[in-house]
Amino acid sequence: MKVFINKPTGGYVGGLIVVAANSPMEAHGAMCAEDESLTYWYEANGWQELMGVVSDAEMPRVLAHGEHEG
């Protein structure tokens, strides 16, 4: 699977979410399935593919996540 990242939006917030998926839409769906409240931080149109990075995950899933408010 491809690997996608998304950065949180908003004023004093930082972090990153990393998701294994086949498309940006699938990445967003995997994130929502894990924790619907994450849509507050991560916009559906904010996904970027990490070129040259792949995951051997069999299903779309969140690989890593962290954010902080400043």
Side-chain angles (χ1 to χ4, degrees):
M1 295 192 133
K2 297 175 183 179
V3 176
F4 294 88
I5 62 167
N6 198 332
K7 297 177 184 176
T9 58
Y12 299 99
V13 65
L16 187 73
I17 189 165
V18 183
V19 178
N22 294 305
S23 69
M25 182 182 291
E26 195 173 68
H28 197 73
M31 178 195 72
C32 292
E34 180 158 310
D35 186 345
E36 183 71 30
S37 71
L38 293 175
T39 59
Y40 178 80
W41 299 110
Y42 302 101
E43 294 183 5
N45 65 353
W47 294 98
Q48 300 173 357
E49 182 180 350
L50 288 180
M51 300 306 292
V53 179
V54 296
S55 171
D56 63 358
E58 295 181 12
M59 296 181 62
R61 64 186 211 98
V62 173
L63 300 174
H65 169 246
E67 85 244 344
H68 67 276
E69 294 181 65

